[in-house]
């Protein structure tokens, strides 16, 4: 059997042992979290303990955390639950932010994949209505870290609120809502070692938020529906594990840099997107000129190397990346870009397997072109 | 020592006997076993079709979709996975109303005894300009078909009537309602969270256009459910939110593979065992009720005695506050009504809709029997309730 190198951590991370144990133990635990009886009270305690652990991840109070079914629901709750504001989103946001609010205005990005703060300032100044600005912590395709704190200062100066989709940054960057200046923060469990099917929205106490999913009044009336208790408990355990995990950033960065060095040595003309911007330690967006991304991922897949051609969404359709487009990358180049993303179990062997497979494909395509 | 032995002996630290199966059900061990690998070694994102981990997850999700579809007589592609029945109900009602409102179809017909999330979704659409008609029920909890027929007009977009009530277990006449809605050209949605896997549901035979299902009510995991969306004739609805475009753009967001797998397994098991389990629960329910009535002749059953879920009882103990009765019976886990409103403990609007006066509604317990309820648990619970009521009577309270 082919050795497997999983290098698609920005799509989903394997569940960490702490979260796996907590989730599967909780699955055996009985009781609806809203019931009044004894087992229900045990469930409620477990729910509130998990809420504290997730709150601690962003330096928030437990009452400021709303559990959702994931990052997408949290994003749409943030952008639609804060009513009566004009919405501005950066051009590189995830689709669940870009498409959440109809009529959202777009803040452009630079060639390095960083939001254009001067443009944000101008857009806010041009219209006096109160606004909500949405800017992600780190981009899912390029890993480029966004100047959220600076954007928050600009937003607050213009009487606007700031929402930060921190799905890709959480667990990888220090994340404190005060330091970021974010009024709302989206989190997803399965990107940081928790189970799929659970996420959260941090909503600062001063922000009024109306429920989008109406129901039995759970989550203090801000999100109806029986809580996914095992998922939430696993999310709590994963959040706590982030704090305990010895900082892995240095090791992951070295591996990522090694991958980048190996691939650019194979193909010196390979563009690395966001290379000169601050990036997540784990992400590498790179292109093989003239070779479609779908060809590259297929070829890597056959060699046991799992990467992606962008975001893992919309039933696997490979579309041209709106992120690269916003960075001004030409369509032909954008169509040959792949995303390589690492995590805490990634190893040198994974990187070597990647380089071997990518190098073999490169050699084949050059030979057939010759 | 086994848990049931501990309970039978009424040891002080034994877990209470669980009789709240309409609030939630434990995950069946067979279901859990199928889910576990998808948490750990098979962790791929089911939308990552560029590699093997993603594709194996996708295959598992599609297998689960098939099993869920089969449990209601639907096609797999008519199943939209959601985070639960609350989201499915929101999606059905808001999605149908928002899509058809601009075309002049802006009326919603539903019933006073629906689950809170159906009523709240309808209310939310009222704020968006729709008109909502709330049909009454009779003393047995059943909707009147003539009143329903009269409530539908040319502007009606959707009729939403639940399959089985979460408090009183009453089964509404879905086939008759479905035929009526089809004839009148309006969408028929049914919240079947309590019914799927407990009583036969067939979306074809019943002419259902939209149907909500919850996994954790049928021995599957929490955090996953589904909306059935009919393809022929097409039930058109708008998504609640946009994003990655999953679930044919009706519901964006990464699907949780382990939860979908658990849902599929639970649906498959329920379908295979429903008849036998239903017969067993019906016998237990009858024994429970006759046990109570024999020793406490004043108790009364709420909701139709026959047309109800096999595992549901809803019983009024006149003169005894339900919360006091629960406190006096720490050995059993029952509830005063639906779990969702239980935290605020307000008198049940479902019982009020049946015409029960408030003092009687406040003296009512919901008793839910399920897959793991045993004969001895039923005996124990009847004893506990009877002696608590009698103690109360003896103390003159």
């Amino acid at each position: 059997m082919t050795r497997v190198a999983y290098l698609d951590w920005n799509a989903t991370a394997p569940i960490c042992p702490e979260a796996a144990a907590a989730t599967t133990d909780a699955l055996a635990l009985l009781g609806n979290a809203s019931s009044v009886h004894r087992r229900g009270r045990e469930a409620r305690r477990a729910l509130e303990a998990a809420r504290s652990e997730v709150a601690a991840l962003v330096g928030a109070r437990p009452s400021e955390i709303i559990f959702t079914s994931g990052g997408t629901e949290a994003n749409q709750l943030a952008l639609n639950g804060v009513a009566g504001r004009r919405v501005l989103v950066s051009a590189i946001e995830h689709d669940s932010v870009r498409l959440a609010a109809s009529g959202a205005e777009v803040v452009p990005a630079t060639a390095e994949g960083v939001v254009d703060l001067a443009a944000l300032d101008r857009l806010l100044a041009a219209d006096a209505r109160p606004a909500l600005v949405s800017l992600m912590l780190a981009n899912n395709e390029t890993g480029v870290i966004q100047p959220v704190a600076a954007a928050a200062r600009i937003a607050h100066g213009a009487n606007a609120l700031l929402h930060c989709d921190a799905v890709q940054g959480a667990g990888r960057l220090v994340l404190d809502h005060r330091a970021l200046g974010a009024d709302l923060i989206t989190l997803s469990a399965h990107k940081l070692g928790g189970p799929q099917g659970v996420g959260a929205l941090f909503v600062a106490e001063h922000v009024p938020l109306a429920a989008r999913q109406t129901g039995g009044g759970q989550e203090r009336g801000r999100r109806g529906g029986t809580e996914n208790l095992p998922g939430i408990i696993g999310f709590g355990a994963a959040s706590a594990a982030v704090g305990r995990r010895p900082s892995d950033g240095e090791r992951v960065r070295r591996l990522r840099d090694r991958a980048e060095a190996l691939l650019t040595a194979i193909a010196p003309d390979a563009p690395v997107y966001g290379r000169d911007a601050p990036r997540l330690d784990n992400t590498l967006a790179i292109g093989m000129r003239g070779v479609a991304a779908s060809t590259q991922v297929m070829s890597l897949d056959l060699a046991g190397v799992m990467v992606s051609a962008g975001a893992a969404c919309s039933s696997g359709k490979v579309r041209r990346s709106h992120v690269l487009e916003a960075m001004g990358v030409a369509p032909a180049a954008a169509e040959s870009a792949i995303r390589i993303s690492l995590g805490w179990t990634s190893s040198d062997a994974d990187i070597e397997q990647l380089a071997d497979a990518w190098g073999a494909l490169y050699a084949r395509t050059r030979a057939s072109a010759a | 020592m086994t848990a049931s032995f501990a309970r039978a002996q009424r040891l002080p630290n034994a877990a209470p006997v669980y009789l709240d199966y309409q609030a939630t059900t434990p995950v069946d061990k067979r279901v859990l076993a199928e889910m576990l690998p998808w948490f750990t070694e098979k962790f791929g994102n089911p939308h990552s079709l560029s590699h093997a981990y993603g594709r194996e997850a996708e295959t598992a999700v599609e297998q689960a979709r098939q099993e869920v579809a089969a449990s209601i007589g639907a096609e797999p592609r008519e199943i939209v996975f959601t985070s639960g029945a609350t989201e499915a109900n929101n999606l059905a009602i808001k999605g149908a109303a928002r899509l058809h409102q601009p075309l002049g179809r802006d009326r919603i017909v539903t019933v006073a005894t629906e689950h809170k999330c159906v009523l709240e979704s309808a209310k939310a659409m009222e704020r968006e300009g729709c008109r909502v008609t709330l049909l009454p029920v009779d003393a047995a909890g059943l909707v009147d078909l003539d009143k329903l027929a009269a409530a539908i007009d040319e502007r009606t977009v959707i009729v939403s009537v639940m399959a089985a009530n979460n408090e009183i277990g009453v089964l509404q006449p879905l086939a008759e309602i479905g035929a009526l809605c089809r004839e009148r050209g309006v969408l028929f949605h049914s919240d079947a969270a309590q019914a799927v896997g407990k009583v036969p549901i067939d979306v074809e035979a019943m002419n259902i256009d939209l149907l909500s299902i919850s996994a954790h009510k049928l021995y599957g995991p929490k955090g996953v459910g589904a909306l059935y969306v009919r393809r022929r004739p097409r039930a058109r609805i708008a998504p609640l939110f946009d994003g990655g475009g999953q679930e044919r753009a009706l519901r964006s967001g990464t699907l949780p593979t382990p939860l979908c797998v658990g849902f599929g397994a639970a649906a498959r098991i329920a379908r295979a065992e429903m008849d036998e389990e239903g017969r067993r629960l019906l016998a237990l329910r009858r024994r429970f009720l006759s046990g109570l009535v024999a020793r406490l002749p004043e108790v009364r059953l709420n909701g139709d005695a026959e047309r109800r879920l096999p595992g549901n009882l809803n019983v009024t103990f006149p003169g005894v506050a339900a919360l006091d009765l629960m406190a006096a019976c720490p050995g059993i886990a029952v509830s005063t009504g639906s779990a969702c409103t239980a935290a605020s403990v307000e008198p049940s609007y479902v019982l009020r809709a049946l015409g029960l006066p408030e003092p009687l509604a406040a003296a009512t317990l919901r008793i839910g029997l399920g897959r793991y309820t045993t004969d001895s648990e039923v005996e124990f619970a009847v004893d506990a309730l009877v002696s608590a009521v009698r103690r109360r009577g003896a103390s003159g309270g």
Side-chain angles (χ1 to χ4, degrees), chain A residues 4 6 8 11-12 15 24 27 30-32 34-37 39 69 72 76 196 212-216 223 225 227-228 301 306-307 312 314, chain B residues 15-16 18 20 23-24 26 32 36 39 43-45 47-48 50-53 55 83 86-87 90 94 117 222 241 244 251 257 334 339 342:
Chain A
V4 165
Y6 184 73
D8 197 12
T12 193
I15 195 166
T24 52
L27 275 166
L30 187 68
N32 182 317
S34 296
S35 294
V36 182
H37 49 66
R39 289 181 193 232
S69 64
T72 293
Q76 75 91 24
Q196 292 167 357
R212 300 296 297 171
Q213 180 166 308
T214 41
R223 199 273 185 180
E227 300 88 346
N228 170 9
D301 182 40
M306 303 182 185
V307 302
S314 52
Chain B
Y18 188 74
D20 199 11
T24 191
L32 184 58
L36 288 179
F39 277 115
F43 61 84
N45 180 322
H47 315 289
S48 294
S50 60
H51 54 67
Y53 279 19
R55 286 193 302 270
S83 63
T86 292
E87 187 187 337
N90 271 259
K94 294 176 180 172
C117 67
K222 295 180 178 63
F241 48 85
R251 203 277 184 174
T257 312
V334 293

Coordinates of all heavy atoms in Angstrom, one line a residue, chain A residues 4 6 8 11-12 15 24 27 30-32 34-37 39 69 72 76 196 212-216 223 225 227-228 301 306-307 312 314, chain B residues 15-16 18 20 23-24 26 32 36 39 43-45 47-48 50-53 55 83 86-87 90 94 117 222 241 244 251 257 334 339 342:
Chain A
V4 N 0.8 7.3 2.8 CA -0.1 8.4 2.7 C 0.6 9.7 3.3 O 1.0 9.6 4.4 CB -1.4 8.2 3.3 CG1 -2.2 9.5 3.5 CG2 -2.2 7.2 2.5
Y6 N -0.7 13.2 4.2 CA -1.9 14.1 4.3 C -1.4 15.5 4.4 O -0.9 15.9 5.4 CB -2.8 13.7 5.5 CG -4.1 14.6 5.5 CD1 -5.1 14.3 4.6 CD2 -4.3 15.6 6.4 CE1 -6.3 15.1 4.5 CE2 -5.4 16.4 6.4 CZ -6.4 16.1 5.5 OH -7.5 16.9 5.4
D8 N -3.5 18.4 3.6 CA -4.7 19.2 3.3 C -5.3 19.6 4.6 O -6.5 19.5 4.7 CB -5.6 18.4 2.4 CG -6.7 19.2 1.7 OD1 -6.5 20.5 1.7 OD2 -7.7 18.7 1.2
A11 N -8.3 22.0 4.8 CA -9.6 21.5 4.5 C -10.2 20.9 5.8 O -11.3 21.2 6.2 CB -9.6 20.4 3.4
T12 N -9.4 20.1 6.5 CA -9.8 19.5 7.8 C -8.6 19.0 8.4 O -7.7 18.5 7.8 CB -11.0 18.5 7.7 OG1 -11.5 18.3 9.0 CG2 -10.5 17.2 7.1
I15 N -8.8 14.8 14.1 CA -9.2 15.1 15.4 C -8.0 14.8 16.4 O -7.3 13.8 16.2 CB -10.5 14.3 15.8 CG1 -11.1 14.9 17.0 CG2 -10.2 12.8 15.9 CD1 -12.6 14.4 17.2
T24 N -16.2 10.9 21.9 CA -16.8 9.6 21.9 C -17.3 9.2 23.3 O -18.3 8.5 23.4 CB -15.7 8.6 21.3 OG1 -14.5 8.7 22.1 CG2 -15.4 8.8 19.9
L27 N -20.6 10.8 23.6 CA -21.7 10.2 22.7 C -22.4 9.1 23.5 O -23.6 8.9 23.3 CB -21.1 9.6 21.5 CG -20.9 10.5 20.3 CD1 -20.0 9.9 19.3 CD2 -22.2 10.9 19.7
L30 N -26.0 10.4 28.2 CA -27.4 10.5 27.8 C -28.0 11.8 28.3 O -27.6 12.4 29.2 CB -28.2 9.4 28.4 CG -29.6 9.2 28.1 CD1 -29.8 8.7 26.6 CD2 -30.2 8.1 29.0
G31 N -29.0 12.3 27.5 CA -29.7 13.5 28.1 C -29.6 14.7 27.2 O -28.6 15.1 26.7
N32 N -30.8 15.2 26.9 CA -30.9 16.5 26.2 C -30.5 17.6 27.0 O -30.9 17.7 28.2 CB -32.3 16.6 25.7 CG -32.6 17.8 24.9 OD1 -32.1 18.9 25.2 ND2 -33.4 17.6 23.9
S34 N -31.2 20.6 27.4 CA -32.2 21.5 27.9 C -33.2 20.9 28.9 O -34.0 21.6 29.4 CB -33.0 22.1 26.7 OG -32.2 22.9 25.9
S35 N -33.1 19.6 29.1 CA -34.1 18.9 30.0 C -33.8 19.3 31.4 O -32.6 19.5 31.8 CB -34.1 17.4 29.8 OG -34.5 17.1 28.5
V36 N -34.8 19.3 32.3 CA -34.6 19.8 33.6 C -34.1 18.7 34.6 O -33.5 18.9 35.6 CB -35.9 20.4 34.2 CG1 -35.7 20.9 35.6 CG2 -36.4 21.5 33.3
H37 N -34.3 17.4 34.2 CA -34.0 16.4 35.2 C -32.5 16.1 35.3 O -31.7 16.8 34.8 CB -34.7 15.1 34.8 CG -34.5 14.7 33.3 ND1 -33.3 14.4 32.8 CD2 -35.4 14.7 32.3 CE1 -33.4 14.2 31.5 NE2 -34.6 14.4 31.2
R39 N -30.1 13.9 34.7 CA -29.2 13.7 33.6 C -29.0 14.9 32.7 O -27.9 15.2 32.2 CB -29.6 12.5 32.7 CG -29.5 11.2 33.4 CD -29.9 10.1 32.4 NE -30.1 8.8 33.1 CZ -29.6 7.7 32.7 NH1 -28.8 7.7 31.7 NH2 -29.8 6.6 33.4
S69 N -23.4 25.0 14.1 CA -23.1 23.7 13.5 C -21.8 23.8 12.7 O -21.3 22.8 12.2 CB -24.2 23.4 12.5 OG -24.3 24.3 11.4
T72 N -19.5 27.9 8.7 CA -20.4 28.6 7.7 C -21.6 29.2 8.4 O -22.0 30.3 8.2 CB -20.9 27.5 6.7 OG1 -19.7 27.1 5.9 CG2 -21.9 28.1 5.8
Q76 N -22.6 33.2 8.7 CA -23.9 33.8 8.3 C -24.7 34.4 9.4 O -25.3 35.4 9.3 CB -24.7 32.8 7.4 CG -25.4 31.7 8.2 CD -26.8 32.1 8.6 OE1 -27.4 32.9 8.0 NE2 -27.3 31.5 9.7
Q196 N -16.0 17.4 13.3 CA -16.8 18.1 12.3 C -18.2 18.3 12.9 O -18.7 17.6 13.7 CB -16.8 17.3 11.0 CG -15.5 17.2 10.3 CD -15.5 16.2 9.2 OE1 -16.5 15.5 9.0 NE2 -14.4 16.1 8.5
R212 N -30.8 33.7 13.8 CA -31.2 33.4 12.4 C -31.9 32.0 12.4 O -32.9 31.9 11.7 CB -30.0 33.3 11.5 CG -29.2 34.5 11.5 CD -29.9 35.7 10.8 NE -30.3 35.4 9.4 CZ -31.1 36.1 8.7 NH1 -31.7 37.2 9.2 NH2 -31.3 35.8 7.5
Q213 N -31.5 31.1 13.2 CA -32.1 29.8 13.3 C -33.0 29.9 14.5 O -32.5 29.8 15.7 CB -31.1 28.7 13.4 CG -31.8 27.3 13.5 CD -30.8 26.2 13.3 OE1 -30.1 26.1 12.3 NE2 -30.7 25.2 14.2
T214 N -34.3 30.0 14.3 CA -35.3 30.2 15.4 C -35.8 28.8 15.9 O -35.9 27.9 15.1 CB -36.4 31.0 15.0 OG1 -36.8 30.7 13.7 CG2 -36.0 32.5 15.0
G215 N -36.0 28.7 17.2 CA -36.4 27.4 17.7 C -36.8 27.4 19.1 O -37.5 28.3 19.6
G216 N -36.2 26.5 19.9 CA -36.6 26.4 21.3 C -35.9 27.3 22.2 O -36.0 27.1 23.4
R223 N -29.7 31.0 19.1 CA -29.5 29.9 18.1 C -30.3 28.7 18.6 O -29.9 28.0 19.5 CB -28.0 29.6 18.0 CG -27.7 28.8 16.7 CD -27.8 27.3 16.9 NE -27.4 26.5 15.8 CZ -27.4 25.2 15.7 NH1 -27.9 24.5 16.7 NH2 -27.0 24.6 14.6
G225 N -32.3 25.0 18.6 CA -31.9 23.7 18.2 C -31.2 23.0 19.3 O -30.5 23.6 20.1
E227 N -28.6 21.3 21.3 CA -27.1 21.4 21.2 C -26.5 20.1 20.8 O -26.9 19.0 21.3 CB -26.5 21.9 22.5 CG -27.0 23.3 22.9 CD -28.3 23.2 23.8 OE1 -29.0 22.1 23.8 OE2 -28.7 24.2 24.4
N228 N -25.5 20.1 19.9 CA -24.7 18.9 19.6 C -23.7 18.7 20.7 O -22.5 19.1 20.6 CB -24.0 19.2 18.2 CG -23.0 18.1 17.9 OD1 -22.9 17.1 18.5 ND2 -22.2 18.4 16.8
D301 N -2.4 12.6 -5.8 CA -3.3 11.6 -5.1 C -2.8 10.2 -5.4 O -2.8 9.3 -4.6 CB -4.7 11.9 -5.6 CG -5.7 11.0 -4.9 OD1 -5.5 10.7 -3.7 OD2 -6.6 10.5 -5.6
M306 N -1.9 14.0 -0.5 CA -3.2 14.6 -0.5 C -3.1 16.1 -0.3 O -2.7 16.6 0.8 CB -4.1 14.0 0.6 CG -4.2 12.5 0.5 SD -5.3 11.8 1.7 CE -5.1 10.1 1.3
V307 N -3.4 16.9 -1.3 CA -3.4 18.3 -1.3 C -4.7 18.8 -1.9 O -5.6 17.9 -2.2 CB -2.2 18.9 -2.0 CG1 -0.9 18.4 -1.5 CG2 -2.3 18.6 -3.5
A312 N -12.2 23.4 -0.2 CA -12.9 22.1 -0.4 C -14.4 22.3 -0.2 O -14.9 22.1 0.8 CB -12.4 21.1 0.7
S314 N -18.3 23.2 -2.5 CA -19.2 23.1 -3.7 C -18.9 21.8 -4.4 O -18.6 21.8 -5.6 CB -19.0 24.3 -4.6 OG -17.7 24.5 -4.9
Chain B
A15 N -28.0 5.6 38.4 CA -28.6 6.6 37.5 C -30.1 6.4 37.4 O -30.6 5.3 37.6 CB -28.0 6.3 36.1
P16 N -30.8 7.5 37.3 CA -32.2 7.4 37.2 C -32.7 6.7 36.0 O -32.0 6.6 35.0 CB -32.7 8.9 37.1 CG -31.5 9.7 36.8 CD -30.3 8.9 37.2
Y18 N -34.3 6.2 32.7 CA -34.5 7.3 31.6 C -35.9 7.0 31.0 O -36.1 6.0 30.3 CB -33.4 7.2 30.6 CG -33.5 8.4 29.6 CD1 -33.2 9.7 30.0 CD2 -33.9 8.2 28.3 CE1 -33.3 10.7 29.2 CE2 -34.0 9.3 27.5 CZ -33.7 10.5 27.9 OH -33.8 11.6 27.0
D20 N -37.5 9.7 29.1 CA -37.6 11.0 28.4 C -37.2 10.8 26.9 O -36.5 11.7 26.4 CB -36.8 12.0 29.1 CG -37.2 13.5 28.8 OD1 -38.3 13.6 28.2 OD2 -36.5 14.4 29.2
A23 N -37.4 13.6 24.3 CA -36.4 14.7 24.4 C -35.2 14.4 23.6 O -34.7 15.1 22.7 CB -36.0 15.0 25.8
T24 N -34.6 13.2 23.9 CA -33.5 12.7 23.1 C -33.3 11.2 23.4 O -33.9 10.7 24.4 CB -32.2 13.5 23.4 OG1 -31.2 13.1 22.5 CG2 -31.7 13.1 24.8
P26 N -30.5 7.8 23.6 CA -29.1 7.5 23.7 C -28.6 7.0 22.3 O -29.4 6.5 21.5 CB -29.0 6.4 24.7 CG -30.3 5.8 24.8 CD -31.3 6.9 24.4
L32 N -22.9 3.9 17.2 CA -21.6 4.5 17.7 C -20.4 3.7 17.1 O -19.5 4.4 16.6 CB -21.5 4.4 19.2 CG -20.3 5.0 19.9 CD1 -20.2 6.5 19.5 CD2 -20.4 4.9 21.4
L36 N -17.3 5.6 14.9 CA -16.0 5.9 15.5 C -14.9 6.0 14.5 O -14.1 7.0 14.6 CB -15.7 4.8 16.6 CG -16.5 5.0 17.9 CD1 -16.2 3.8 18.8 CD2 -16.3 6.3 18.5
F39 N -14.3 9.5 13.1 CA -13.8 10.5 13.9 C -12.3 10.6 13.9 O -11.6 11.6 14.0 CB -14.2 10.3 15.4 CG -15.5 10.9 15.7 CD1 -16.5 10.0 16.1 CD2 -15.8 12.2 15.7 CE1 -17.8 10.5 16.4 CE2 -17.1 12.7 16.0 CZ -18.1 11.8 16.4
F43 N -10.6 10.7 8.6 CA -11.1 12.1 9.1 C -11.3 13.0 7.9 O -11.5 14.2 8.1 CB -10.0 12.6 10.0 CG -8.7 12.8 9.4 CD1 -8.4 13.9 8.7 CD2 -7.7 11.8 9.5 CE1 -7.1 14.1 8.1 CE2 -6.5 11.9 9.0 CZ -6.2 13.1 8.2
G44 N -11.2 12.6 6.7 CA -11.2 13.5 5.5 C -12.4 14.4 5.5 O -13.5 14.1 6.0
N45 N -12.3 15.5 4.8 CA -13.4 16.4 4.6 C -14.1 15.9 3.4 O -13.6 15.7 2.3 CB -12.8 17.8 4.2 CG -13.9 18.9 3.9 OD1 -14.9 18.6 3.3 ND2 -13.7 20.1 4.4
H47 N -15.9 16.9 1.2 CA -15.9 17.8 0.0 C -14.5 17.9 -0.6 O -14.4 18.6 -1.6 CB -16.5 19.1 0.3 CG -17.7 19.0 1.2 ND1 -18.9 18.5 0.7 CD2 -17.9 19.3 2.5 CE1 -19.8 18.5 1.7 NE2 -19.2 18.9 2.8
S48 N -13.5 17.3 0.0 CA -12.2 17.3 -0.6 C -12.0 16.2 -1.6 O -11.5 15.1 -1.3 CB -11.1 17.1 0.5 OG -11.1 18.1 1.4
S50 N -10.3 15.9 -4.2 CA -9.1 15.8 -4.9 C -8.2 14.7 -4.3 O -7.2 14.4 -4.9 CB -8.3 17.2 -4.8 OG -8.1 17.5 -3.4
H51 N -8.6 14.1 -3.2 CA -7.8 13.0 -2.7 C -8.6 11.9 -2.1 O -9.8 12.0 -1.8 CB -6.7 13.5 -1.8 CG -7.2 14.3 -0.6 ND1 -8.0 13.8 0.4 CD2 -7.1 15.7 -0.4 CE1 -8.2 14.8 1.2 NE2 -7.7 15.9 0.8
A52 N -7.9 10.8 -1.8 CA -8.6 9.6 -1.3 C -9.3 9.7 0.0 O -10.4 9.2 0.2 CB -7.5 8.4 -1.2
Y53 N -8.7 10.5 1.0 CA -9.4 10.7 2.3 C -10.7 11.4 2.1 O -11.7 11.0 2.7 CB -8.5 11.5 3.2 CG -7.4 10.7 3.9 CD1 -7.0 9.5 3.4 CD2 -6.8 11.2 5.1 CE1 -6.0 8.8 4.1 CE2 -5.8 10.5 5.7 CZ -5.4 9.3 5.2 OH -4.4 8.6 5.9
R55 N -12.5 11.4 -0.7 CA -13.5 10.6 -1.5 C -14.1 9.5 -0.6 O -15.2 9.2 -0.7 CB -12.8 10.1 -2.7 CG -12.6 11.1 -3.8 CD -12.2 10.5 -5.1 NE -11.0 9.7 -5.0 CZ -9.8 10.2 -5.2 NH1 -9.6 11.5 -5.5 NH2 -8.7 9.4 -5.0
S83 N -28.1 20.5 10.3 CA -27.5 20.3 11.7 C -28.5 19.7 12.6 O -28.2 19.4 13.8 CB -27.0 21.6 12.2 OG -28.1 22.6 12.4
T86 N -34.3 21.3 13.8 CA -34.6 22.7 14.0 C -34.2 23.5 12.7 O -35.0 24.2 12.1 CB -33.9 23.3 15.2 OG1 -34.5 22.8 16.4 CG2 -34.1 24.9 15.2
E87 N -33.0 23.2 12.2 CA -32.5 23.8 11.0 C -33.4 23.3 9.8 O -33.8 24.2 8.9 CB -31.1 23.5 10.7 CG -30.5 24.3 9.5 CD -29.1 23.9 9.1 OE1 -28.4 23.4 9.9 OE2 -28.8 24.2 7.9
N90 N -36.6 25.3 9.9 CA -36.4 26.6 9.5 C -36.2 26.7 8.0 O -36.8 27.6 7.3 CB -35.1 27.2 10.1 CG -35.3 27.8 11.5 OD1 -35.3 29.0 11.6 ND2 -35.5 27.0 12.5
K94 N -39.0 28.9 6.1 CA -38.5 30.1 5.6 C -38.1 30.0 4.1 O -38.3 30.9 3.4 CB -37.3 30.5 6.5 CG -37.6 30.9 7.9 CD -36.4 31.2 8.7 CE -36.7 31.5 10.1 NZ -35.5 31.7 11.0
C117 N -40.0 25.5 17.1 CA -39.2 26.0 16.0 C -40.0 26.2 14.7 O -39.6 27.0 13.9 CB -37.9 25.1 15.8 SG -38.2 23.5 15.2
K222 N -26.5 13.6 18.0 CA -27.0 15.0 18.0 C -26.1 15.8 17.0 O -25.0 15.4 16.6 CB -26.8 15.7 19.3 CG -27.7 15.1 20.4 CD -27.5 15.8 21.7 CE -28.4 15.2 22.8 NZ -28.1 13.8 23.1
F241 N -28.8 30.1 3.9 CA -27.6 30.9 3.8 C -26.7 30.3 2.7 O -26.9 29.1 2.3 CB -26.8 30.9 5.1 CG -26.6 29.6 5.8 CD1 -25.6 28.8 5.5 CD2 -27.5 29.3 6.9 CE1 -25.4 27.5 6.2 CE2 -27.3 28.0 7.5 CZ -26.3 27.2 7.2
G244 N -20.2 27.5 0.6 CA -19.4 26.6 -0.3 C -20.3 25.9 -1.3 O -19.9 25.3 -2.2
R251 N -27.7 23.9 1.3 CA -27.2 24.0 2.6 C -25.7 24.0 2.6 O -25.1 22.9 2.6 CB -27.8 22.9 3.5 CG -27.8 23.2 5.0 CD -26.4 22.9 5.6 NE -26.5 23.1 7.0 CZ -25.4 22.7 7.8 NH1 -24.3 22.3 7.3 NH2 -25.5 22.9 9.1
T257 N -18.9 14.1 8.6 CA -19.0 12.7 8.2 C -19.4 11.8 9.3 O -20.3 11.0 9.1 CB -17.6 12.3 7.6 OG1 -17.2 13.3 6.7 CG2 -17.7 10.9 6.9
V334 N -38.1 12.0 33.8 CA -39.2 12.3 32.9 C -39.2 13.8 32.7 O -38.3 14.5 33.2 CB -40.6 11.9 33.5 CG1 -40.7 10.4 33.6 CG2 -40.8 12.5 34.9
A339 N -38.6 19.5 25.9 CA -37.4 19.8 26.6 C -37.0 21.3 26.4 O -36.4 21.9 27.2 CB -36.3 18.9 26.1
A342 N -38.7 23.5 28.6 CA -38.6 23.1 30.0 C -37.7 24.0 30.9 O -38.0 24.2 32.1 CB -38.1 21.7 30.1

